[in-house]
Amino acid sequence: MSESPTFAAAALPPEDLRALEAFRQSAQMTVMVGADGSVLAVSPAALAELPALEHSSAWTVFGATGADPAQLCVEAGRRGWAGGAMQLQTATGRAWFSLDVRATHDPLGGAPAYVINLSDLSTHRALEARASQSERTLQLVLKVAPVALLISDRQDGRLLFATAAASRLLALPEDAHGDVVARLYAAHADHDAMRSAIGAGDTYGPVDVEGRAFNGAALSLRISAVPCVYEGRLAIVTTLLDIDEVRRSERALQAALEHERDLNQLQRRFVSMLSHEFRVPLAVIDSSAQRMMRKAYDMSADDIRKRGVRIRAAVARLTETVDTLLEDARMAEGSLEFSPRRIDLIPLMRAIIQQQAELQLRPRIEFAHDESLKVDADPFMVEHMFANLLSNAVKYAPDSDCVWVGAGQQGDRAEIVVRDQGVGIPAGELQQICNRFFRASTSAGIPGTGLGLHLVRQLAERHGGELRLDSAAGAGTTATLSLPIHQAPR
């Protein structure tokens, strides 16, 4: 390149001198070139960044990746201006620049010339790359987000993006297109209200609407929407919440809370029952033992026998309580073994009646039965069921003369009936009487665990049978235990 002409200060008018000084001090990268690419003038900033301009044609320096500088100058000659971008070799490496080309004339000779302003695009492109990466990351995050979310074009409603959760909820096909959100609304007025709110720049919802998925399934949805810009276009972000799922969760939570309350109530009943059921027999045993220790030499044989009977009855009560608790625990955890075999109920029931009569002289027990009553049953469980029903009848009818027991076959089932004339069960409590630790209000002052009938019902159902109760307060109780004659193979 020829050396820049030396200008004598006196040869230039003041305005030109000022323009020349401004050019020299400018931080802008500016180059003036002729039509053949010769460099007519170059700013210090451009020369520092592109030192090759000092000895090479502009077309050579600019002949890298990107726009054609010669073609940009031709276009600028036609239109007065042209622009483009190219990658150039700078003093520190390769970088991208934008080119702003404007047509002018060489002030020295008047020949056509072009002023090229260059702007470094490195920072801009880095920001674009970061923005692009951020957008891809955001889309990936949204795609796997557990939220049902749709992004649609604000003008025509066309679907632009859907999360996986939204695709599952709406049964969206792979090629879903068009206004997907509009299809969700059963009522067009609801969709119009949403579009109107978004069009005014407002948020919409949450609003509960009834709609349908793409497979025709009915949906109850809670919809919210906000305006946004997505990939450079005006869009709508719509979030969807399955109200049915929310309601199911609410019902499950409510059931869990009720179960927790029931457990707390059971615990209180259990502690109350246990303290009473253990304290009374232990007090009887302790007082009888102390009496025998203090008066052993003065007590008659009949007195000792009576004390022994009281002690045995108290021990039997404790043993029954412990056995009942253990059996209930094994039943609850499914570890109580069920071993049915062919047994005759009559001898088993007669033995239990005899044991009860020895412990309790009244009321009298009448037993009416078939000559033989054979069933497929677990003898341990049957013994427990009948002993519980019989002891209840005796315990809750202490002032009656008789407890009636019957056993016979009814079709393909064996029925055991125990009837007393005791305190009975109020009608409003019959539905709860077989619940764990529940005791009728008429049983106040009478010892019991509240587990007996609960276990009888559980054991009867284990056999494929049932327990039926007919009772009224003050009118006694009739308990009917029904068991199948034959057990189906398991």
Side-chain angles (χ1 to χ4, degrees):
M1 180 183 74
S2 60
E3 294 185 2
S4 298
T6 301
F7 297 94
L12 293 175
E15 60 270 21
D16 289 344
L17 284 172
R18 294 189 186 98
L20 179 60
E21 187 62 23
F23 179 78
R24 287 174 176 171
Q25 298 301 324
S26 174
Q28 179 70 39
M29 297 173 60
T30 305
V31 182
M32 177 181 285
V33 301
D36 59 355
S38 58
V39 177
L40 303 179
V42 57
S43 70
L47 194 59
E49 192 72 25
L50 303 169
L53 287 173
E54 189 173 8
H55 51 74
S56 301
S57 165
W59 300 162
T60 302
V61 176
F62 293 159
T65 305
D68 181 354
Q71 185 61 39
L72 288 178
C73 288
V74 172
E75 184 177 345
R78 290 198 307 267
R79 299 169 49 204
W81 172 89
M86 64 174 55
Q87 191 180 44
L88 303 177
Q89 179 65 48
T90 71
T92 57
R94 300 184 72 81
W96 279 89
F97 293 84
S98 68
L99 278 71
D100 180 280
V101 183
R102 298 185 182 273
T104 184
H105 291 87
D106 183 353
L108 294 181
Y114 305 93
V115 175
I116 303 175
N117 291 304
L118 297 98
S119 299
D120 190 347
L121 292 177
S122 301
T123 302
H124 178 72
R125 289 203 166 223
L127 291 174
E128 281 187 338
R130 289 178 60 184
S132 177
Q133 180 62 35
S134 298
E135 186 172 329
R136 287 194 297 270
T137 302
L138 178 60
Q139 286 191 351
L140 179 61
V141 170
L142 287 175
K143 193 68 178 178
V144 299
V147 179
L149 181 146
L150 303 172
I151 301 178
S152 52
D153 189 284
R154 201 184 306 181
Q155 183 174 359
D156 58 15
R158 180 167 52 90
L159 180 65
L160 303 176
F161 178 82
T163 62
S167 296
R168 288 193 299 271
L169 176 62
L170 305 179
L172 286 177
E174 289 289 335
D175 58 346
H177 60 279
D179 196 339
V180 170
V181 176
R183 294 189 56 172
L184 300 179
Y185 287 88
H188 291 295
D190 292 331
H191 181 244
D192 293 341
M194 186 270 278
R195 297 286 302 203
S196 176
I198 297 299
D202 298 328
T203 60
Y204 170 80
V207 174
D208 295 347
V209 301
E210 299 299 320
R212 290 197 174 275
F214 272 67
N215 60 4
L219 293 174
S220 294
L221 298 172
R222 183 163 295 161
I223 295 181
S224 300
V226 294
C228 73
V229 176
Y230 180 77
E231 294 184 342
R233 69 185 74 184
L234 297 177
I236 304 171
V237 177
T238 306
T239 56
L240 311 171
L241 180 64
D242 185 354
I243 300 178
D244 289 334
E245 182 64 30
V246 172
R247 290 168 180 165
R248 285 191 292 270
S249 298
E250 289 174 347
R251 288 194 295 269
L253 178 60
Q254 184 62 33
L257 291 174
E258 291 176 359
H259 180 64
E260 185 68 22
R261 284 196 293 267
D262 290 343
L263 288 178
N264 290 335
Q265 188 175 16
L266 283 177
Q267 184 182 24
R268 288 193 295 270
R269 289 177 181 173
F270 174 76
V271 172
S272 175
M273 175 276 300
L274 202 60
S275 62
H276 182 270
E277 288 302 301
F278 275 65
R279 185 182 294 114
V280 174
L282 287 172
V284 170
I285 293 171
D286 184 58
S287 64
S288 296
Q290 288 187 54
R291 174 76 177 175
M292 293 175 72
M293 290 172 64
R294 289 196 303 267
K295 304 289 186 179
Y297 296 106
D298 298 333
M299 295 176 68
S300 65
D302 186 59
D303 199 15
I304 292 174
R305 185 188 64 79
K306 289 180 180 178
R307 298 286 176 182
V309 168
R310 289 189 66 193
I311 290 174
R312 285 194 63 202
V315 170
R317 180 174 168 184
L318 283 173
T319 302
E320 179 186 2
T321 300
V322 172
D323 288 344
T324 300
L325 289 172
L326 289 175
E327 289 165 15
D328 178 67
R330 288 198 296 268
M331 195 73 188
E333 65 187 26
S335 62
L336 189 61
E337 186 177 351
F338 178 56
S339 304
R341 58 186 174 85
R342 199 70 175 172
I343 59 173
D344 191 341
L345 294 180
I346 304 305
L348 183 148
M349 293 174 65
R350 190 180 286 115
I352 295 172
I353 290 172
Q354 181 62 35
Q355 292 172 6
Q356 184 65 49
E358 291 176 359
L359 291 173
Q360 200 96 17
L361 298 178
R362 57 175 302 182
R364 178 172 46 86
I365 301 173
E366 289 187 2
F367 186 25
H369 56 84
D370 292 350
E371 184 175 345
S372 176
L373 186 56
K374 294 183 178 181
V375 298
D376 294 335
D378 185 310
F380 169 78
M381 293 185 180
V382 171
E383 180 179 346
H384 181 91
M385 289 187 284
F386 178 60
N388 185 279
L389 295 177
L390 184 60
S391 64
N392 273 359
V394 172
K395 180 167 59 176
Y396 293 109
D399 299 327
S400 62
D401 294 328
C402 176
V403 168
W404 185 85
V405 176
Q409 183 171 345
Q410 298 292 331
D412 60 352
R413 304 176 83 81
E415 286 196 348
I416 297 172
V417 180
V418 180
R419 183 181 301 122
D420 66 64
Q421 297 175 334
V423 297
I425 305 167
E429 299 176 4
L430 271 175
Q431 293 296 322
Q432 304 176 71
I433 198 63
C434 288
N435 292 347
R436 186 185 280 116
F437 301 123
F438 183 87
R439 303 194 70 208
S441 56
T442 50
S443 66
I446 303 174
T449 63
L451 281 174
L453 291 178
H454 171 74
L455 270 174
V456 171
R457 184 180 65 179
Q458 296 293 314
L459 295 175
E461 291 175 353
R462 189 73 177 270
H463 282 79
E466 63 175 340
L467 172 66
R468 300 191 299 273
L469 296 171
D470 182 20
S471 185
T477 299
T478 298
T480 303
L481 178 63
S482 175
L483 300 173
I485 297 294
H486 299 285
Q487 284 290 321
R490 292 176 183 250

mmCIF file of all heavy atoms in Angstrom, residues 57-87:
data_model
loop_
_atom_site.group_PDB
_atom_site.id
_atom_site.type_symbol
_atom_site.label_atom_id
_atom_site.label_comp_id
_atom_site.label_asym_id
_atom_site.label_seq_id
_atom_site.Cartn_x
_atom_site.Cartn_y
_atom_site.Cartn_z
ATOM 1 N N SER A 57 -4.201 -5.976 -0.347
ATOM 2 C CA SER A 57 -5.507 -5.527 -0.842
ATOM 3 C C SER A 57 -6.596 -5.909 0.158
ATOM 4 O O SER A 57 -6.512 -6.923 0.845
ATOM 5 C CB SER A 57 -5.801 -6.192 -2.190
ATOM 6 O OG SER A 57 -7.165 -6.069 -2.525
ATOM 7 N N ALA A 58 -7.603 -5.075 0.250
ATOM 8 C CA ALA A 58 -8.720 -5.361 1.156
ATOM 9 C C ALA A 58 -9.390 -6.673 0.790
ATOM 10 O O ALA A 58 -9.815 -7.441 1.651
ATOM 11 C CB ALA A 58 -9.715 -4.215 1.121
ATOM 12 N N TRP A 59 -9.459 -6.955 -0.558
ATOM 13 C CA TRP A 59 -10.107 -8.212 -0.965
ATOM 14 C C TRP A 59 -9.308 -9.423 -0.458
ATOM 15 O O TRP A 59 -9.870 -10.445 -0.123
ATOM 16 C CB TRP A 59 -10.226 -8.288 -2.470
ATOM 17 C CG TRP A 59 -11.029 -7.214 -3.170
ATOM 18 C CD1 TRP A 59 -10.974 -6.906 -4.491
ATOM 19 C CD2 TRP A 59 -11.992 -6.344 -2.611
ATOM 20 N NE1 TRP A 59 -11.828 -5.889 -4.807
ATOM 21 C CE2 TRP A 59 -12.487 -5.514 -3.642
ATOM 22 C CE3 TRP A 59 -12.486 -6.129 -1.335
ATOM 23 C CZ2 TRP A 59 -13.446 -4.523 -3.456
ATOM 24 C CZ3 TRP A 59 -13.451 -5.133 -1.143
ATOM 25 C CH2 TRP A 59 -13.924 -4.353 -2.181
ATOM 26 N N THR A 60 -7.971 -9.280 -0.363
ATOM 27 C CA THR A 60 -7.146 -10.375 0.149
ATOM 28 C C THR A 60 -7.350 -10.554 1.651
ATOM 29 O O THR A 60 -7.514 -11.677 2.144
ATOM 30 C CB THR A 60 -5.651 -10.104 -0.128
ATOM 31 O OG1 THR A 60 -5.458 -9.940 -1.526
ATOM 32 C CG2 THR A 60 -4.782 -11.229 0.375
ATOM 33 N N VAL A 61 -7.344 -9.449 2.364
ATOM 34 C CA VAL A 61 -7.522 -9.531 3.828
ATOM 35 C C VAL A 61 -8.915 -10.019 4.178
ATOM 36 O O VAL A 61 -9.116 -10.831 5.094
ATOM 37 C CB VAL A 61 -7.250 -8.149 4.469
ATOM 38 C CG1 VAL A 61 -7.539 -8.192 5.979
ATOM 39 C CG2 VAL A 61 -5.824 -7.718 4.212
ATOM 40 N N PHE A 62 -9.925 -9.538 3.436
ATOM 41 C CA PHE A 62 -11.307 -9.907 3.737
ATOM 42 C C PHE A 62 -11.742 -11.208 3.052
ATOM 43 O O PHE A 62 -12.879 -11.639 3.212
ATOM 44 C CB PHE A 62 -12.259 -8.788 3.299
ATOM 45 C CG PHE A 62 -12.099 -7.520 4.099
ATOM 46 C CD1 PHE A 62 -12.536 -6.314 3.585
ATOM 47 C CD2 PHE A 62 -11.506 -7.546 5.353
ATOM 48 C CE1 PHE A 62 -12.390 -5.131 4.318
ATOM 49 C CE2 PHE A 62 -11.352 -6.373 6.080
ATOM 50 C CZ PHE A 62 -11.791 -5.170 5.561
ATOM 51 N N GLY A 63 -10.888 -11.817 2.275
ATOM 52 C CA GLY A 63 -11.298 -13.007 1.526
ATOM 53 C C GLY A 63 -11.292 -14.264 2.375
ATOM 54 O O GLY A 63 -10.550 -15.207 2.086
ATOM 55 N N ALA A 64 -12.010 -14.264 3.436
ATOM 56 C CA ALA A 64 -12.093 -15.438 4.335
ATOM 57 C C ALA A 64 -13.518 -15.969 4.352
ATOM 58 O O ALA A 64 -14.301 -15.688 3.445
ATOM 59 C CB ALA A 64 -11.621 -15.039 5.726
ATOM 60 N N THR A 65 -13.822 -16.724 5.397
ATOM 61 C CA THR A 65 -15.153 -17.327 5.503
ATOM 62 C C THR A 65 -16.203 -16.246 5.693
ATOM 63 O O THR A 65 -16.025 -15.318 6.481
ATOM 64 C CB THR A 65 -15.188 -18.299 6.703
ATOM 65 O OG1 THR A 65 -14.139 -19.249 6.550
ATOM 66 C CG2 THR A 65 -16.525 -18.999 6.794
ATOM 67 N N GLY A 66 -17.320 -16.376 4.964
ATOM 68 C CA GLY A 66 -18.415 -15.443 5.146
ATOM 69 C C GLY A 66 -18.771 -14.723 3.867
ATOM 70 O O GLY A 66 -18.601 -15.234 2.754
ATOM 71 N N ALA A 67 -19.291 -13.508 4.048
ATOM 72 C CA ALA A 67 -19.759 -12.727 2.896
ATOM 73 C C ALA A 67 -18.599 -12.325 1.991
ATOM 74 O O ALA A 67 -17.455 -12.198 2.414
ATOM 75 C CB ALA A 67 -20.497 -11.490 3.394
ATOM 76 N N ASP A 68 -18.913 -12.062 0.703
ATOM 77 C CA ASP A 68 -17.934 -11.610 -0.294
ATOM 78 C C ASP A 68 -17.860 -10.086 -0.217
ATOM 79 O O ASP A 68 -18.830 -9.390 -0.558
ATOM 80 C CB ASP A 68 -18.376 -12.067 -1.679
ATOM 81 C CG ASP A 68 -17.386 -11.652 -2.769
ATOM 82 O OD1 ASP A 68 -16.431 -10.910 -2.453
ATOM 83 O OD2 ASP A 68 -17.580 -12.077 -3.911
ATOM 84 N N PRO A 69 -16.721 -9.494 0.234
ATOM 85 C CA PRO A 69 -16.656 -8.025 0.391
ATOM 86 C C PRO A 69 -16.819 -7.274 -0.922
ATOM 87 O O PRO A 69 -17.424 -6.191 -0.957
ATOM 88 C CB PRO A 69 -15.274 -7.808 1.015
ATOM 89 C CG PRO A 69 -14.483 -9.012 0.637
ATOM 90 C CD PRO A 69 -15.453 -10.147 0.604
ATOM 91 N N ALA A 70 -16.252 -7.809 -2.017
ATOM 92 C CA ALA A 70 -16.394 -7.142 -3.320
ATOM 93 C C ALA A 70 -17.857 -7.078 -3.721
ATOM 94 O O ALA A 70 -18.344 -6.053 -4.236
ATOM 95 C CB ALA A 70 -15.568 -7.866 -4.373
ATOM 96 N N GLN A 71 -18.588 -8.168 -3.484
ATOM 97 C CA GLN A 71 -20.000 -8.197 -3.837
ATOM 98 C C GLN A 71 -20.806 -7.240 -2.968
ATOM 99 O O GLN A 71 -21.754 -6.592 -3.425
ATOM 100 C CB GLN A 71 -20.542 -9.634 -3.682
ATOM 101 C CG GLN A 71 -21.977 -9.810 -4.142
ATOM 102 C CD GLN A 71 -22.144 -9.486 -5.630
ATOM 103 O OE1 GLN A 71 -21.291 -9.809 -6.458
ATOM 104 N NE2 GLN A 71 -23.219 -8.805 -5.967
ATOM 105 N N LEU A 72 -20.389 -7.127 -1.682
ATOM 106 C CA LEU A 72 -21.071 -6.180 -0.788
ATOM 107 C C LEU A 72 -20.883 -4.751 -1.285
ATOM 108 O O LEU A 72 -21.793 -3.915 -1.200
ATOM 109 C CB LEU A 72 -20.525 -6.314 0.643
ATOM 110 C CG LEU A 72 -20.911 -7.566 1.418
ATOM 111 C CD1 LEU A 72 -20.244 -7.569 2.795
ATOM 112 C CD2 LEU A 72 -22.426 -7.679 1.588
ATOM 113 N N CYS A 73 -19.676 -4.445 -1.820
ATOM 114 C CA CYS A 73 -19.430 -3.095 -2.343
ATOM 115 C C CYS A 73 -20.286 -2.822 -3.575
ATOM 116 O O CYS A 73 -20.817 -1.714 -3.751
ATOM 117 C CB CYS A 73 -17.951 -2.931 -2.681
ATOM 118 S SG CYS A 73 -16.883 -2.820 -1.207
ATOM 119 N N VAL A 74 -20.423 -3.829 -4.448
ATOM 120 C CA VAL A 74 -21.277 -3.676 -5.629
ATOM 121 C C VAL A 74 -22.707 -3.398 -5.196
ATOM 122 O O VAL A 74 -23.397 -2.520 -5.736
ATOM 123 C CB VAL A 74 -21.197 -4.927 -6.516
ATOM 124 C CG1 VAL A 74 -22.234 -4.852 -7.645
ATOM 125 C CG2 VAL A 74 -19.797 -5.091 -7.091
ATOM 126 N N GLU A 75 -23.168 -4.156 -4.202
ATOM 127 C CA GLU A 75 -24.541 -3.977 -3.709
ATOM 128 C C GLU A 75 -24.703 -2.596 -3.078
ATOM 129 O O GLU A 75 -25.727 -1.926 -3.261
ATOM 130 C CB GLU A 75 -24.861 -5.060 -2.675
ATOM 131 C CG GLU A 75 -26.296 -5.021 -2.175
ATOM 132 C CD GLU A 75 -26.603 -6.147 -1.207
ATOM 133 O OE1 GLU A 75 -25.806 -7.124 -1.128
ATOM 134 O OE2 GLU A 75 -27.637 -6.054 -0.521
ATOM 135 N N ALA A 76 -23.660 -2.160 -2.318
ATOM 136 C CA ALA A 76 -23.721 -0.822 -1.711
ATOM 137 C C ALA A 76 -23.752 0.265 -2.781
ATOM 138 O O ALA A 76 -24.389 1.310 -2.594
ATOM 139 C CB ALA A 76 -22.537 -0.626 -0.776
ATOM 140 N N GLY A 77 -23.037 0.039 -3.956
ATOM 141 C CA GLY A 77 -23.063 1.002 -5.049
ATOM 142 C C GLY A 77 -24.454 1.156 -5.607
ATOM 143 O O GLY A 77 -24.846 2.240 -6.047
ATOM 144 N N ARG A 78 -25.241 0.066 -5.613
ATOM 145 C CA ARG A 78 -26.621 0.124 -6.135
ATOM 146 C C ARG A 78 -27.583 0.742 -5.131
ATOM 147 O O ARG A 78 -28.428 1.553 -5.476
ATOM 148 C CB ARG A 78 -27.110 -1.272 -6.507
ATOM 149 C CG ARG A 78 -26.442 -1.870 -7.734
ATOM 150 C CD ARG A 78 -27.286 -3.026 -8.279
ATOM 151 N NE ARG A 78 -27.588 -4.017 -7.249
ATOM 152 C CZ ARG A 78 -26.866 -5.109 -7.014
ATOM 153 N NH1 ARG A 78 -25.771 -5.328 -7.737
ATOM 154 N NH2 ARG A 78 -27.213 -5.961 -6.077
ATOM 155 N N ARG A 79 -27.456 0.321 -3.865
ATOM 156 C CA ARG A 79 -28.449 0.700 -2.844
ATOM 157 C C ARG A 79 -27.953 1.796 -1.915
ATOM 158 O O ARG A 79 -28.738 2.345 -1.139
ATOM 159 C CB ARG A 79 -28.825 -0.513 -2.011
ATOM 160 C CG ARG A 79 -29.464 -1.640 -2.813
ATOM 161 C CD ARG A 79 -29.554 -2.911 -1.965
ATOM 162 N NE ARG A 79 -30.134 -2.630 -0.656
ATOM 163 C CZ ARG A 79 -29.923 -3.397 0.415
ATOM 164 N NH1 ARG A 79 -29.107 -4.437 0.320
ATOM 165 N NH2 ARG A 79 -30.481 -3.092 1.562
ATOM 166 N N GLY A 80 -26.627 2.057 -1.961
ATOM 167 C CA GLY A 80 -26.060 3.025 -1.034
ATOM 168 C C GLY A 80 -25.536 2.380 0.246
ATOM 169 O O GLY A 80 -24.721 2.966 0.963
ATOM 170 N N TRP A 81 -26.044 1.158 0.564
ATOM 171 C CA TRP A 81 -25.616 0.474 1.801
ATOM 172 C C TRP A 81 -25.738 -1.027 1.610
ATOM 173 O O TRP A 81 -26.584 -1.528 0.855
ATOM 174 C CB TRP A 81 -26.482 0.907 2.977
ATOM 175 C CG TRP A 81 -26.209 0.097 4.228
ATOM 176 C CD1 TRP A 81 -25.303 0.382 5.168
ATOM 177 C CD2 TRP A 81 -26.857 -1.108 4.610
ATOM 178 N NE1 TRP A 81 -25.302 -0.581 6.146
ATOM 179 C CE2 TRP A 81 -26.281 -1.526 5.819
ATOM 180 C CE3 TRP A 81 -27.869 -1.894 4.051
ATOM 181 C CZ2 TRP A 81 -26.663 -2.681 6.481
ATOM 182 C CZ3 TRP A 81 -28.254 -3.049 4.717
ATOM 183 C CH2 TRP A 81 -27.650 -3.436 5.922
ATOM 184 N N ALA A 82 -24.895 -1.798 2.287
ATOM 185 C CA ALA A 82 -24.982 -3.258 2.307
ATOM 186 C C ALA A 82 -24.341 -3.740 3.599
ATOM 187 O O ALA A 82 -23.526 -3.034 4.223
ATOM 188 C CB ALA A 82 -24.289 -3.874 1.098
ATOM 189 N N GLY A 83 -24.693 -4.939 4.027
ATOM 190 C CA GLY A 83 -24.141 -5.485 5.271
ATOM 191 C C GLY A 83 -23.996 -6.985 5.203
ATOM 192 O O GLY A 83 -24.662 -7.678 4.428
ATOM 193 N N GLY A 84 -23.105 -7.515 6.022
ATOM 194 C CA GLY A 84 -22.890 -8.950 6.073
ATOM 195 C C GLY A 84 -21.971 -9.291 7.224
ATOM 196 O O GLY A 84 -21.640 -8.439 8.064
ATOM 197 N N ALA A 85 -21.520 -10.543 7.298
ATOM 198 C CA ALA A 85 -20.624 -10.988 8.360
ATOM 199 C C ALA A 85 -19.588 -11.931 7.769
ATOM 200 O O ALA A 85 -19.873 -12.673 6.814
ATOM 201 C CB ALA A 85 -21.407 -11.692 9.462
ATOM 202 N N MET A 86 -18.369 -11.916 8.326
ATOM 203 C CA MET A 86 -17.326 -12.813 7.854
ATOM 204 C C MET A 86 -16.335 -13.080 8.986
ATOM 205 O O MET A 86 -16.248 -12.325 9.970
ATOM 206 C CB MET A 86 -16.608 -12.246 6.642
ATOM 207 C CG MET A 86 -15.850 -10.968 6.895
ATOM 208 S SD MET A 86 -14.894 -10.470 5.451
ATOM 209 C CE MET A 86 -16.170 -10.416 4.188
ATOM 210 N N GLN A 87 -15.617 -14.168 8.838
ATOM 211 C CA GLN A 87 -14.581 -14.535 9.802
ATOM 212 C C GLN A 87 -13.223 -14.090 9.242
ATOM 213 O O GLN A 87 -12.860 -14.425 8.120
ATOM 214 C CB GLN A 87 -14.592 -16.051 10.051
ATOM 215 C CG GLN A 87 -13.727 -16.481 11.218
ATOM 216 C CD GLN A 87 -13.777 -17.989 11.427
ATOM 217 O OE1 GLN A 87 -13.690 -18.742 10.446
ATOM 218 N NE2 GLN A 87 -13.893 -18.419 12.674
#
